[in-house]
Amino acid sequence: MTKSIFCAVFIILTLGLMANEIQGDMCGEVLPQVDCGAGSCGALCRQLKHGTPHCVRASDGKLACYCVYPCPS
């Protein structure tokens, strides 16, 4: 029983470390062309950068479209 638990934990940790290496470096930028309404942020982020969109609150209190994408090599 103890060996199987140890093996399961070891496999999970190994897979977690491998996933981090596969993902690589991530970059991000605010897309000033759009706001965070009606899905336009997501569509533009995926189209331009092949990234993942996030709506963040800017310093002026408005929502901004922040796109996280794999850094170009």
Side-chain angles (χ1 to χ4, degrees):
M1 182 73 171
T2 304
K3 285 183 182 181
S4 61
I5 292 173
F6 176 76
C7 287
V9 169
F10 180 75
I11 290 171
I12 291 171
L13 288 175
T14 303
L15 290 175
L17 292 172
M18 287 174 52
N20 192 24
E21 290 296 320
I22 292 171
Q23 185 177 12
D25 292 331
M26 299 300 283
C27 293
E29 78 179 72
V30 174
L31 301 177
Q33 304 94 320
V34 295
D35 59 1
C36 278
S40 56
C41 174
L44 190 63
C45 179
R46 285 185 204 88
Q47 180 182 10
L48 294 179
K49 303 288 185 177
H50 303 288
T52 304
H54 300 281
C55 290
V56 295
R57 190 156 308 274
S59 58
D60 61 359
K62 295 181 182 177
L63 288 177
C65 179
Y66 187 73
C67 186
V68 178
Y69 56 93
C71 292
S73 322

mmCIF file of all heavy atoms in Angstrom, residues 43-62:
data_model
loop_
_atom_site.group_PDB
_atom_site.id
_atom_site.type_symbol
_atom_site.label_atom_id
_atom_site.label_comp_id
_atom_site.label_asym_id
_atom_site.label_seq_id
_atom_site.Cartn_x
_atom_site.Cartn_y
_atom_site.Cartn_z
ATOM 1 N N ALA A 43 -11.607 37.041 -28.576
ATOM 2 C CA ALA A 43 -11.468 36.804 -30.013
ATOM 3 C C ALA A 43 -10.186 37.434 -30.545
ATOM 4 O O ALA A 43 -9.448 36.802 -31.303
ATOM 5 C CB ALA A 43 -12.683 37.358 -30.745
ATOM 6 N N LEU A 44 -9.896 38.658 -30.151
ATOM 7 C CA LEU A 44 -8.713 39.344 -30.661
ATOM 8 C C LEU A 44 -7.433 38.717 -30.115
ATOM 9 O O LEU A 44 -6.454 38.555 -30.844
ATOM 10 C CB LEU A 44 -8.766 40.830 -30.317
ATOM 11 C CG LEU A 44 -7.702 41.689 -30.991
ATOM 12 C CD1 LEU A 44 -7.879 41.647 -32.513
ATOM 13 C CD2 LEU A 44 -7.776 43.112 -30.511
ATOM 14 N N CYS A 45 -7.439 38.327 -28.862
ATOM 15 C CA CYS A 45 -6.263 37.700 -28.257
ATOM 16 C C CYS A 45 -5.946 36.381 -28.957
ATOM 17 O O CYS A 45 -4.789 36.104 -29.281
ATOM 18 C CB CYS A 45 -6.498 37.486 -26.763
ATOM 19 S SG CYS A 45 -5.130 36.693 -25.896
ATOM 20 N N ARG A 46 -6.956 35.590 -29.203
ATOM 21 C CA ARG A 46 -6.728 34.306 -29.880
ATOM 22 C C ARG A 46 -6.302 34.507 -31.333
ATOM 23 O O ARG A 46 -5.445 33.805 -31.845
ATOM 24 C CB ARG A 46 -7.989 33.449 -29.825
ATOM 25 C CG ARG A 46 -8.224 32.847 -28.468
ATOM 26 C CD ARG A 46 -9.429 31.899 -28.468
ATOM 27 N NE ARG A 46 -9.978 31.772 -27.137
ATOM 28 C CZ ARG A 46 -10.903 32.562 -26.612
ATOM 29 N NH1 ARG A 46 -11.414 33.542 -27.304
ATOM 30 N NH2 ARG A 46 -11.337 32.365 -25.393
ATOM 31 N N GLN A 47 -6.889 35.502 -31.988
ATOM 32 C CA GLN A 47 -6.591 35.729 -33.398
ATOM 33 C C GLN A 47 -5.187 36.303 -33.593
ATOM 34 O O GLN A 47 -4.444 35.826 -34.448
ATOM 35 C CB GLN A 47 -7.616 36.688 -33.996
ATOM 36 C CG GLN A 47 -7.397 36.979 -35.461
ATOM 37 C CD GLN A 47 -8.408 37.976 -35.992
ATOM 38 O OE1 GLN A 47 -9.155 38.589 -35.234
ATOM 39 N NE2 GLN A 47 -8.432 38.154 -37.290
ATOM 40 N N LEU A 48 -4.806 37.296 -32.811
ATOM 41 C CA LEU A 48 -3.519 37.961 -33.004
ATOM 42 C C LEU A 48 -2.348 37.208 -32.393
ATOM 43 O O LEU A 48 -1.274 37.145 -32.974
ATOM 44 C CB LEU A 48 -3.551 39.374 -32.410
ATOM 45 C CG LEU A 48 -4.468 40.382 -33.072
ATOM 46 C CD1 LEU A 48 -4.394 41.708 -32.340
ATOM 47 C CD2 LEU A 48 -4.111 40.554 -34.538
ATOM 48 N N LYS A 49 -2.548 36.668 -31.195
ATOM 49 C CA LYS A 49 -1.423 36.118 -30.428
ATOM 50 C C LYS A 49 -1.539 34.628 -30.146
ATOM 51 O O LYS A 49 -0.633 34.057 -29.554
ATOM 52 C CB LYS A 49 -1.306 36.857 -29.093
ATOM 53 C CG LYS A 49 -1.145 38.358 -29.204
ATOM 54 C CD LYS A 49 0.225 38.701 -29.709
ATOM 55 C CE LYS A 49 0.427 40.215 -29.689
ATOM 56 N NZ LYS A 49 1.752 40.582 -30.105
ATOM 57 N N HIS A 50 -2.654 34.016 -30.485
ATOM 58 C CA HIS A 50 -2.915 32.611 -30.133
ATOM 59 C C HIS A 50 -2.764 32.427 -28.627
ATOM 60 O O HIS A 50 -2.126 31.494 -28.153
ATOM 61 C CB HIS A 50 -1.979 31.659 -30.889
ATOM 62 C CG HIS A 50 -2.072 31.803 -32.370
ATOM 63 N ND1 HIS A 50 -3.163 31.356 -33.084
ATOM 64 C CD2 HIS A 50 -1.234 32.372 -33.264
ATOM 65 C CE1 HIS A 50 -2.975 31.636 -34.365
ATOM 66 N NE2 HIS A 50 -1.825 32.254 -34.497
ATOM 67 N N GLY A 51 -3.349 33.366 -27.885
ATOM 68 C CA GLY A 51 -3.181 33.382 -26.440
ATOM 69 C C GLY A 51 -4.465 33.204 -25.668
ATOM 70 O O GLY A 51 -5.521 32.883 -26.225
ATOM 71 N N THR A 52 -4.349 33.454 -24.365
ATOM 72 C CA THR A 52 -5.466 33.337 -23.438
ATOM 73 C C THR A 52 -5.807 34.732 -22.917
ATOM 74 O O THR A 52 -4.944 35.406 -22.363
ATOM 75 C CB THR A 52 -5.088 32.430 -22.260
ATOM 76 O OG1 THR A 52 -4.660 31.174 -22.774
ATOM 77 C CG2 THR A 52 -6.266 32.232 -21.328
ATOM 78 N N PRO A 53 -7.041 35.169 -23.078
ATOM 79 C CA PRO A 53 -7.420 36.516 -22.657
ATOM 80 C C PRO A 53 -7.765 36.583 -21.170
ATOM 81 O O PRO A 53 -8.254 35.612 -20.585
ATOM 82 C CB PRO A 53 -8.663 36.803 -23.494
ATOM 83 C CG PRO A 53 -9.270 35.452 -23.697
ATOM 84 C CD PRO A 53 -8.125 34.493 -23.794
ATOM 85 N N HIS A 54 -7.489 37.719 -20.574
ATOM 86 C CA HIS A 54 -7.864 38.005 -19.191
ATOM 87 C C HIS A 54 -8.306 39.456 -19.119
ATOM 88 O O HIS A 54 -7.681 40.325 -19.719
ATOM 89 C CB HIS A 54 -6.679 37.809 -18.241
ATOM 90 C CG HIS A 54 -6.130 36.426 -18.236
ATOM 91 N ND1 HIS A 54 -6.725 35.402 -17.540
ATOM 92 C CD2 HIS A 54 -5.053 35.902 -18.842
ATOM 93 C CE1 HIS A 54 -6.020 34.302 -17.720
ATOM 94 N NE2 HIS A 54 -5.005 34.575 -18.513
ATOM 95 N N CYS A 55 -9.376 39.693 -18.393
ATOM 96 C CA CYS A 55 -9.806 41.063 -18.141
ATOM 97 C C CYS A 55 -9.222 41.504 -16.806
ATOM 98 O O CYS A 55 -9.425 40.841 -15.795
ATOM 99 C CB CYS A 55 -11.321 41.157 -18.114
ATOM 100 S SG CYS A 55 -12.057 40.931 -19.740
ATOM 101 N N VAL A 56 -8.480 42.589 -16.821
ATOM 102 C CA VAL A 56 -7.849 43.097 -15.611
ATOM 103 C C VAL A 56 -8.275 44.547 -15.405
ATOM 104 O O VAL A 56 -8.570 45.264 -16.354
ATOM 105 C CB VAL A 56 -6.306 42.999 -15.674
ATOM 106 C CG1 VAL A 56 -5.862 41.556 -15.724
ATOM 107 C CG2 VAL A 56 -5.750 43.744 -16.858
ATOM 108 N N ARG A 57 -8.289 44.948 -14.153
ATOM 109 C CA ARG A 57 -8.643 46.326 -13.836
ATOM 110 C C ARG A 57 -7.390 47.187 -13.931
ATOM 111 O O ARG A 57 -6.401 46.940 -13.260
ATOM 112 C CB ARG A 57 -9.260 46.419 -12.456
ATOM 113 C CG ARG A 57 -9.862 47.781 -12.188
ATOM 114 C CD ARG A 57 -10.936 47.778 -11.141
ATOM 115 N NE ARG A 57 -12.006 46.823 -11.306
ATOM 116 C CZ ARG A 57 -13.104 47.027 -12.031
ATOM 117 N NH1 ARG A 57 -13.256 48.138 -12.690
ATOM 118 N NH2 ARG A 57 -14.039 46.109 -12.094
ATOM 119 N N ALA A 58 -7.436 48.192 -14.785
ATOM 120 C CA ALA A 58 -6.314 49.103 -14.985
ATOM 121 C C ALA A 58 -6.250 50.111 -13.846
ATOM 122 O O ALA A 58 -7.146 50.189 -12.999
ATOM 123 C CB ALA A 58 -6.452 49.810 -16.325
ATOM 124 N N SER A 59 -5.191 50.901 -13.823
ATOM 125 C CA SER A 59 -5.008 51.875 -12.749
ATOM 126 C C SER A 59 -6.093 52.950 -12.743
ATOM 127 O O SER A 59 -6.391 53.524 -11.706
ATOM 128 C CB SER A 59 -3.631 52.524 -12.857
ATOM 129 O OG SER A 59 -3.494 53.152 -14.126
ATOM 130 N N ASP A 60 -6.704 53.196 -13.905
ATOM 131 C CA ASP A 60 -7.777 54.194 -13.954
ATOM 132 C C ASP A 60 -9.138 53.615 -13.585
ATOM 133 O O ASP A 60 -10.141 54.303 -13.616
ATOM 134 C CB ASP A 60 -7.829 54.838 -15.337
ATOM 135 C CG ASP A 60 -8.121 53.849 -16.449
ATOM 136 O OD1 ASP A 60 -8.272 52.644 -16.164
ATOM 137 O OD2 ASP A 60 -8.187 54.287 -17.616
ATOM 138 N N GLY A 61 -9.179 52.316 -13.228
ATOM 139 C CA GLY A 61 -10.418 51.685 -12.790
ATOM 140 C C GLY A 61 -11.195 50.981 -13.888
ATOM 141 O O GLY A 61 -12.145 50.263 -13.619
ATOM 142 N N LYS A 62 -10.800 51.165 -15.155
ATOM 143 C CA LYS A 62 -11.481 50.515 -16.265
ATOM 144 C C LYS A 62 -10.919 49.114 -16.473
ATOM 145 O O LYS A 62 -9.796 48.815 -16.087
ATOM 146 C CB LYS A 62 -11.296 51.327 -17.541
ATOM 147 C CG LYS A 62 -11.934 52.689 -17.489
ATOM 148 C CD LYS A 62 -11.718 53.422 -18.791
ATOM 149 C CE LYS A 62 -12.325 54.814 -18.727
ATOM 150 N NZ LYS A 62 -12.068 55.570 -19.965
#
